[in-house]
PDB file of all heavy atoms in Angstrom:
ATOM      1  N   VAL B  71     -44.683  51.775  14.413  1.00  0.00           N
ATOM      2  CA  VAL B  71     -43.704  50.805  13.945  1.00  0.00           C
ATOM      3  C   VAL B  71     -44.392  49.463  13.744  1.00  0.00           C
ATOM      4  O   VAL B  71     -45.069  48.963  14.640  1.00  0.00           O
ATOM      5  CB  VAL B  71     -42.539  50.662  14.940  1.00  0.00           C
ATOM      6  CG1 VAL B  71     -41.559  49.595  14.472  1.00  0.00           C
ATOM      7  CG2 VAL B  71     -41.823  51.992  15.111  1.00  0.00           C
ATOM      8  N   TRP B  98     -57.374  36.570  10.068  1.00  0.00           N
ATOM      9  CA  TRP B  98     -58.442  35.944  10.854  1.00  0.00           C
ATOM     10  C   TRP B  98     -58.097  35.871  12.324  1.00  0.00           C
ATOM     11  O   TRP B  98     -58.958  35.998  13.187  1.00  0.00           O
ATOM     12  CB  TRP B  98     -58.694  34.514  10.346  1.00  0.00           C
ATOM     13  CG  TRP B  98     -59.217  34.429   8.961  1.00  0.00           C
ATOM     14  CD1 TRP B  98     -59.914  35.369   8.271  1.00  0.00           C
ATOM     15  CD2 TRP B  98     -59.068  33.317   8.070  1.00  0.00           C
ATOM     16  NE1 TRP B  98     -60.208  34.932   7.011  1.00  0.00           N
ATOM     17  CE2 TRP B  98     -59.705  33.671   6.859  1.00  0.00           C
ATOM     18  CE3 TRP B  98     -58.466  32.065   8.170  1.00  0.00           C
ATOM     19  CZ2 TRP B  98     -59.746  32.814   5.768  1.00  0.00           C
ATOM     20  CZ3 TRP B  98     -58.521  31.210   7.094  1.00  0.00           C
ATOM     21  CH2 TRP B  98     -59.156  31.583   5.901  1.00  0.00           C
ATOM     22  N   CYS B 126     -46.727  41.962  -0.365  1.00  0.00           N
ATOM     23  CA  CYS B 126     -46.357  42.535   0.925  1.00  0.00           C
ATOM     24  C   CYS B 126     -47.407  42.192   1.977  1.00  0.00           C
ATOM     25  O   CYS B 126     -48.613  42.211   1.697  1.00  0.00           O
ATOM     26  CB  CYS B 126     -46.214  44.052   0.829  1.00  0.00           C
ATOM     27  SG  CYS B 126     -45.013  44.593  -0.402  1.00  0.00           S
ATOM     28  N   PHE B 376     -34.970  46.509  51.215  1.00  0.00           N
ATOM     29  CA  PHE B 376     -34.628  45.547  52.261  1.00  0.00           C
ATOM     30  C   PHE B 376     -33.859  44.361  51.691  1.00  0.00           C
ATOM     31  O   PHE B 376     -32.835  43.929  52.229  1.00  0.00           O
ATOM     32  CB  PHE B 376     -35.904  45.069  52.959  1.00  0.00           C
ATOM     33  CG  PHE B 376     -35.711  43.828  53.790  1.00  0.00           C
ATOM     34  CD1 PHE B 376     -35.106  43.888  55.028  1.00  0.00           C
ATOM     35  CD2 PHE B 376     -36.121  42.597  53.312  1.00  0.00           C
ATOM     36  CE1 PHE B 376     -34.915  42.747  55.796  1.00  0.00           C
ATOM     37  CE2 PHE B 376     -35.932  41.442  54.067  1.00  0.00           C
ATOM     38  CZ  PHE B 376     -35.335  41.516  55.309  1.00  0.00           C
ATOM     39  N   PRO B 543     -41.724  53.158  22.832  1.00  0.00           N
ATOM     40  CA  PRO B 543     -42.066  53.190  24.259  1.00  0.00           C
ATOM     41  C   PRO B 543     -41.060  54.031  25.024  1.00  0.00           C
ATOM     42  O   PRO B 543     -39.847  53.915  24.825  1.00  0.00           O
ATOM     43  CB  PRO B 543     -41.983  51.706  24.670  1.00  0.00           C
ATOM     44  CG  PRO B 543     -42.214  50.944  23.395  1.00  0.00           C
ATOM     45  CD  PRO B 543     -41.606  51.780  22.309  1.00  0.00           C
TER      46      PRO B 543
END
Side-chain angles (χ1 to χ4, degrees):
V71 177
W98 295 336
C126 303
F376 165 77

